[in-house]
Amino acid sequence: MASLPLTGIRVLDMTVVWSGPTVTMLLSDLGAEVIRIDNPWLFPSSTRGMVARPNQGQMATMGPLGSAYPDGDAGEYPWDRHAMFNWHARGKRLVTLDLRQPSGREVFLRLAGVADVFVENNNVATLGLLGLDWETLHAANPRLILLRMPPAGIGGPYSSYLGFGAHFEAVAGITAVRGYRDSDPSTTTSVFQMDPAAGSTGAFAVMAALRRRQRTGEGELVVLPQVENEMNHIGEMFMDAAANGNENPPLGNRDRNAVQGVYPCRGVDQWLAVTVATYAHWRGLVEAMARPAWALDEKFATAEGRMAAHDEIDAGVSSWTAELEAFEAFHALQARGVPAGPLMNEAAVFYDSHIRARGFFRELDSEHAGRHEYPGHQWSWSGPPMRWEPVHGMGQDNEYVYRELLGMSQEEYDALDAEGHLARGYLKSDGSLL
Amino acid sequence: MRLLEGIRVVEVGGGLPVSYATKMFADFGADVIKVEPPEGDVTRGMAPFIGNEPGPDRSAVYLHTNTNKRSVVLDLAAEADRTRFAALAATADVLVESYAPGTLDSWGLGFDALRGRRPRLVMVSITPFGQNGPYAGYEGSEVVYYGMGGPMLGNGTPDAEPVKLGGYMSLYHLGNSAATAAMGALMVAEQPDGEGVHVDVNGLESQLTNADRRTTFLLNYAYNHVSTDRVSALLSALPNGPYPTADGYVQMVVTMPWVPRMLAAIGDPELNDLFARVAQDPTLLAQPETKEAIDASLYPWLLDRTKQEVMEIAQRHKWPVTALKTPVEVLEDEHFKQRGFFTPVEHPTVGRVVHPGAPFHVAEGWELRTSAPYLGQHTEEVLGELTGDGVAADSLSPAAQQ
């Protein structure tokens, strides 16, 4: 029997926000033992919540993620209860360590000695400031693979810049090409797609490096400039810009290669996405609409004709969908082979018959957030079952990692505690929980 | 030896997600064989085109997503070409396909049939909605995946329709996820007691599990029974989104911990006073008047400066703000120039084409060795390699015999 591909692989995780954590989630799903390291003296913004312990007033003013705790209650351990963290924390071992102290750095190097992979997506200067540059890590463990995920790469004027995905997408051309047609960017909302894109690529890169290590026996440095990875996702627009000078302004919900739109359906904020890329799609749409007179014009027989009459098609389809439930129109179109989909909010996703039938949501325990249904794995396969294990609390695995894994004596472990490395959460200067 | 040298990947079925998934392998050294129907992959027909003129080798989508591959034409509607395809698949480590569920099975080319000849075959099936479930077999598209699987209802302004991301972001993301799944499955197959793996990757779940903020929103629903829409996305008075400057826009997403950096960069006593009051009473941030007051301080400061200046001043104060640039501007941007990100490749007939660069860097890793192939450019070469594998040399398909 084959086992999960990363069985026996140990990964050190010093990641923030979403991109790095997504990499280590995928590696953990595939069998790796992931050890996440949190510094109890530094609350990382937008990682385990927006602030360490928000009061009710703050929660109400920090957007949809301000109060994303079970039952809107931050609880005693807010950092172990936030949805932005818990969705990717499954199965990871959680330890605390203050890497700014010499003793913390020393312990980290011991961990690096027994690890296969180290993943980090901090500011590009952080590893150097901690005295943990590639040369040091490579000397500590020549088999270690280091994945660094600087948002704009290492080198170049923006490599020290700070920001979320939304910031780097903006400076890299990715924001300018989305939004409403004929509008200025002030109506463009912030999105954060750089992180998931980097998550998939990071896991790919780590596995590729592990495969190569089987042959060479050597670890290596992998650098993933997150925004450059994502720039590939609009690659054709850069090629168009370079070859033709075209600006690629936002198209709203339209598509350069199909008639496409999002059409209002019966109810409040109910919409149906429809794409007509081929003549077969067009015929299916016309049939589903019961052959309205306007749609029988011969000009719609060609792709050029349909694109030229996009506004007219939009008006006709809208008047049809407006009378229908989004799901009703969805099934009517799909029954005739037309790509269509209702825009689903989270409630709709949660109760969707298809998503339920596939067993997508699965229950999971969390030390401090209780038992809930969680969004599932990124794919399914006939291979060994991917890991699905509880969400641990901050510092929950200190004893396992330091005592069992590193074989520290009780005295050493107590010294770590006395030096302020061990905690179950973020600390005030007096050592009590924030 | 290049990172993925020695891996053979066969792709069939066509489209952007499949093409991008196998490009991830091809650009790092794998031998990727693109099986196309006689009319060519659908990506060959996708705008934009180099020179603004359509043509089977001029699509930027095709040229971008098919670098370093070999093209073989096989007509899987014809029995003889199915035999050739089975022989080709028997040489593959990874087969990536994008037919509707059950299609390859109906041709006798499903996972179980192919695994009979290649026990360790990894077969990655990319579909809109997966291999089973009520919507299996339904059609998908860029906006369908994002609308159903992604956080689209939260993207846009409350008084207008929700709006998708630019271009083909959800199709690329699907391809990107499929490449990762393929790599994981390959590492199952390659174990000493390894076995073949059939992978089900789909547009819907690639969004639900990992698109923007959607997965957080889904867990928040499990925790709180609340959904996020275009109204609730605007709950805070803190600057969020593009703001105008003297010559364009800058991108802001200000979180509470970053407020002191913003105040230091701007140095406006009134703004400082306002946030001193917010510190006493955070609920002020939920009031529209607060947003108006913050913006009233920000706008004059921003409009006095270029977007590049604003970005540089803000970043000196560790306040995350960036200039919003178009792809044309990005091509000339000093950062990406110094990094050598954009990579020209000479195409034998299309000419010099500038491509985006590496998604990640390793020693002996990414390289654009050859531009995307002509339709059927390698049919004869690849089928010729198979003659020892039960395919007679004289049984080459018509396309190869030309």
Side-chain angles (χ1 to χ4, degrees), chain A residues 236-288:
Chain A
E236 69 276 8
M237 300 201 200
F238 291 114
M239 296 163 76
D240 186 30
N244 307 320
N246 292 335
E247 279 283 10
N248 286 275
L251 295 178
N253 290 317
R254 289 192 176 181
D255 187 297
R256 290 187 75 154
N257 295 292
V259 166
Q260 180 172 284
V262 165
Y263 303 100
C265 299
R266 200 157 70 199
V268 178
D269 211 20
Q270 302 294 313
W271 306 86
L272 183 75
V274 180
T275 304
V276 175
T278 65
Y279 182 58
H281 294 158
W282 172 252
R283 279 191 318 198
L285 172 64
V286 173
E287 291 300 321

Side-chain angles (χ1 to χ4, degrees), chain A residues 204-217:
Chain A
F204 178 92
V206 166
M207 287 190 279
L210 283 166
R211 275 187 83 254
R212 177 147 74 183
R213 192 184 71 169
Q214 289 169 358
R215 192 177 70 243
T216 64

Side-chain angles (χ1 to χ4, degrees), chain B residues 89-380:
Chain B
T91 69
D93 300 299
V94 178
L95 170 66
V96 186
E97 64 99 5
S98 60
Y99 288 106
T103 305
L104 284 180
D105 275 321
S106 73
W107 291 335
L109 299 171
F111 179 62
D112 289 329
L114 296 177
R115 196 171 50 160
R117 287 176 69 174
R118 185 73 165 174
R120 293 184 188 228
L121 179 69
V122 167
M123 178 162 140
V124 179
S125 293
I126 303 180
T127 55
F129 296 100
Q131 296 295 306
N132 53 52
Y135 307 162
Y138 275 14
E139 300 283 336
S141 74
E142 165 71 17
V143 71
V144 167
Y145 301 149
Y146 187 61
M148 295 180 77
M152 186 166 175
L153 278 165
N155 193 20
T157 54
D159 54 355
E161 67 185 41
V163 66
K164 71 178 204 71
L165 305 185
Y168 297 104
M169 295 289 282
S170 73
L171 300 186
Y172 278 106
H173 190 55
L174 174 55
N176 217 143
S177 298
T180 306
M183 186 66 80
L186 181 63
M187 292 182 74
V188 173
E190 288 176 338
Q191 291 166 20
D193 52 356
E195 57 195 40
V197 181
H198 187 196
V199 185
D200 175 351
V201 189
N202 62 83
L204 177 65
E205 287 168 5
S206 79
Q207 290 286 306
L208 290 174
T209 51
N210 194 18
D212 191 351
R213 298 143 293 166
R214 178 66 139 180
T215 320
T216 300
F217 291 162
L218 285 170
L219 185 54
N220 192 27
Y221 184 84
Y223 282 178
N224 285 308
H225 302 287
V226 295
S227 293
T228 302
D229 59 22
R230 299 186 300 301
V231 177
S232 57
L234 298 173
L235 271 177
S236 175
L238 291 175
N240 187 338
Y243 273 64
T245 68
D247 67 341
Y249 287 78
V250 289
Q251 172 73 44
M252 305 225 186
V253 183
V254 179
T255 63
M256 282 306 290
W258 292 344
V259 167
R261 306 177 192 179
M262 173 176 76
L263 297 179
I266 293 181
D268 178 343
E270 280 186 34
L271 199 59
N272 296 346
D273 288 348
L274 181 97
F275 275 98
R277 293 198 299 279
V278 167
Q280 297 301 312
D281 179 11
T283 60
L284 288 174
L285 283 179
Q287 296 175 8
E289 303 79 46
T290 308
K291 181 170 173 50
E292 284 165 26
I294 294 170
D295 288 354
S297 273
L298 276 175
Y299 276 100
W301 187 81
L302 293 168
L303 290 167
D304 257 3
R305 293 165 176 83
T306 66
K307 60 186 180 183
Q308 194 76 16
E309 285 169 347
V310 170
M311 172 167 71
E312 288 170 7
I313 293 167
Q315 291 284 350
R316 273 205 297 280
H317 289 85
K318 299 190 183 302
W319 173 28
V321 177
T322 53
L324 200 161
K325 302 193 177 193
T326 66
V328 169
E329 290 175 304
V330 172
L331 286 168
E332 293 305 317
D333 188 279
E334 200 50 41
H335 177 76
F336 297 103
K337 273 190 169 174
Q338 279 187 28
R339 293 181 51 73
F341 175 68
F342 293 104
T343 308
V345 177
E346 204 62 43
H347 186 284
T349 50
V350 179
R352 184 176 175 277
V353 179
V354 172
H355 288 249
F360 65 92
H361 300 276
V362 287
E364 294 181 82
W366 184 91
E367 189 186 22
L368 295 185
R369 305 179 303 281
T370 59
S371 52
Y374 298 125
L375 179 61
Q377 185 178 341
H378 307 93
T379 305
E380 193 169 354

Side-chain angles (χ1 to χ4, degrees), chain B residues 53-70:
Chain B
E53 279 297 316
D57 297 305
R58 307 195 72 85
S59 161
V61 175
Y62 173 74
L63 290 169
H64 172 41
T65 59
N66 292 287
T67 44
N68 294 323
K69 299 182 189 177
R70 296 194 283 171

Side-chain angles (χ1 to χ4, degrees), chain B residues 21-88:
Chain B
T22 62
K23 172 188 168 71
M24 295 277 291
F25 282 84
D27 290 354
F28 287 90
D31 175 18
V32 176
I33 297 166
K34 182 180 186 75
V35 176
E36 300 188 70
E39 68 274 20
D41 186 351
V42 62
T43 59
R44 290 180 182 273
M46 288 174 73
F49 297 98
I50 303 301
N52 294 314
E53 279 297 316
D57 297 305
R58 307 195 72 85
S59 161
V61 175
Y62 173 74
L63 290 169
H64 172 41
T65 59
N66 292 287
T67 44
N68 294 323
K69 299 182 189 177
R70 296 194 283 171
S71 167
V72 170
V73 169
L74 290 175
D75 181 3
L76 295 194
E79 185 63 39
D81 273 4
R82 285 182 213 159
T83 304
R84 295 182 186 99
F85 179 79
L88 179 60

